[in-house]
Amino acid sequence: MTDEPRDGSGEAGPDPDPTGTARPADGPPGGDDSGTPHDGSHHDRSRHDRGRYGGDRHDAVHDDAPGAAASRLTGRAVVAEHRLSAALAEVTLDGGQVVMVKRGDAPGAVRAEAAGLAWLAEARAVRVPAVRGHDARRLVIDRVAEGRPDARAALRFGRDLAALHAAGAPAFGAPPPGGLEEAYIGRAPMRNVPGDDWPSWYAAHRVLPYLRRAVDEGVLRPAEAAEIEGVLERLPDLAGPAEPPARLHGDLWNGNVLWGADGRVWLIDPAAHGGHRETDLAMLRLFGCPHLERVLAGYQEAAPLADGWRDRIGLHQLFPLLVHAVLFGRGYAEQALAAARGAPA
């Protein structure tokens, strides 16, 4: 989830798709199997930079420029710097290596992302950019050279994603080692409070906080919220067989999936935590992903999902839809309500 335009210029456009189909806040809806990539490369699609990393503000006087920060954090000289937005820059280091330098304004944002990337990398499954250095305000990661989506990479991505999930987590809601309890999903706060039971944890620490906020801010009516609460009360019966906590990316919409020039899929901008593996898959479907059915086929080959998982997609989409409702308005609230009404009887 995001709110930064791809070229880093101007204001984001988070209004819902007029068709009522869920869509990310910074671009057109994607097709499940279109195979059509969004334009631009990793650095062009600075998806979270305004939410998690602050607004369109120039660096404060006390904050060093991206090139200087990259040099300081990597110990290498900088030969070129290209600013892509107020919070993101592409920097070329001595020797030709290209890195991305992000600025973080929200408390703990850089630490949370660095910890999440390290935790995902530890699983040796889906590829993520290496963290080259970070401090309280700057994160330096490798730039990913992008190619085009293709069916073979999608199948492998599904298998790799299954391996990532299988790496596990200590508990539902557990943050990555070195991560934070008060973390983020895009520009929105996300509390990582550990729990042993997925239905009760998901209701209490993911859905209900944003459901209440949506009512308080007038984007969801009390009677509509009551419908969603009714579904949450039935979650123990709707959630399917109990599963151990999975190691989640946590914000796995299509914008955070990079189809690398190396033929592999790379993931960026995690909101990593322990959760239910179906949540990552439901997020992929929420905003569309090229070759999604091939991704799912690869996943099923490696780690078959429990019967009825397609019927549970809407349950896992409640959290991101309510986050979007609070950030961007009524259209997403209506989609959350539709997801709740589509829950099995």
Side-chain angles (χ1 to χ4, degrees):
M1 290 186 288
T2 182
D3 54 303
E4 176 78 358
R6 286 187 180 82
D7 61 2
S9 62
E11 291 300 318
D15 54 305
D17 188 303
T19 64
T21 302
R23 57 178 287 251
D26 70 339
D32 282 355
D33 283 276
S34 68
T36 302
H38 291 291
D39 292 337
S41 62
H42 174 190
H43 58 269
D44 292 323
R45 299 186 297 176
S46 48
R47 299 162 182 99
H48 285 196
D49 301 324
R50 293 238 305 254
R52 189 177 304 175
Y53 290 99
D56 279 337
R57 298 189 298 274
H58 294 293
D59 291 330
V61 173
H62 65 275
D63 187 23
D64 50 357
S71 180
R72 172 170 53 81
L73 291 169
T74 65
R76 295 172 60 182
V78 168
V79 298
E81 172 186 317
H82 177 49
R83 297 206 185 201
L84 303 161
S85 72
L88 186 72
E90 179 182 284
V91 172
T92 304
L93 303 175
D94 186 25
Q97 182 183 6
V98 182
V99 294
M100 310 306 299
V101 181
K102 293 183 174 184
R103 192 192 72 218
D105 292 326
V110 170
R111 176 181 163 189
E113 180 162 355
L117 287 169
W119 195 45
L120 299 185
E122 182 186 86
R124 303 180 67 84
V126 181
R127 294 192 174 186
V128 297
V131 176
R132 298 301 177 182
H134 68 92
D135 59 16
R137 290 178 57 83
R138 295 284 190 179
L139 175 69
V140 181
I141 61 174
D142 284 349
R143 181 189 183 278
V144 176
E146 288 194 69
R148 295 181 62 84
D150 65 67
R152 181 179 298 178
L155 192 69
R156 183 168 186 171
F157 172 42
R159 296 170 182 150
D160 290 347
L161 185 60
L164 173 67
H165 291 164
F172 297 109
L180 301 171
E181 178 178 312
E182 302 294 338
Y184 303 89
I185 180 166
R187 70 161 63 176
M190 184 186 78
R191 296 195 69 214
N192 287 324
V193 179
D196 297 324
D197 171 69
W198 182 80
S200 60
W201 168 83
Y202 180 69
H205 299 294
R206 289 296 181 263
V207 180
L208 283 173
Y210 277 93
L211 183 64
R212 292 164 183 152
R213 185 172 164 187
V215 172
D216 290 344
E217 297 186 7
V219 297
L220 196 66
R221 301 179 184 95
E224 294 169 334
E227 290 190 59
I228 297 176
E229 288 175 335
V231 172
L232 296 181
E233 290 171 0
R234 296 194 293 122
L235 263 185
D237 297 323
L238 300 176
E243 295 200 0
R247 188 170 305 194
L248 297 190
H249 175 279
D251 193 4
L252 196 58
W253 74 282
N254 181 50
N256 289 339
V257 177
L258 303 182
W259 300 81
D262 60 357
R264 300 286 295 272
V265 168
W266 296 68
L267 301 182
I268 61 170
D269 292 347
H273 63 280
H276 197 299
R277 61 190 182 131
E278 291 177 13
T279 300
D280 267 353
L281 298 176
M283 178 72 87
L284 275 180
R285 185 172 290 279
L286 180 59
F287 296 124
C289 176
H291 303 292
L292 179 57
E293 291 305 319
R294 294 291 289 170
V295 175
L296 295 172
Y299 194 103
Q300 290 277 48
E301 287 179 11
L305 295 160
D307 289 346
W309 69 271
R310 289 184 184 272
D311 296 331
R312 296 187 290 271
I313 290 172
L315 300 175
H316 290 271
Q317 291 176 344
L318 284 174
F319 171 55
L321 283 172
L322 287 169
V323 170
H324 267 62
V326 168
L327 293 178
F328 305 129
R330 174 69 185 172
Y332 290 106
E334 292 174 347
Q335 291 174 39
L337 185 62
R341 288 172 174 169

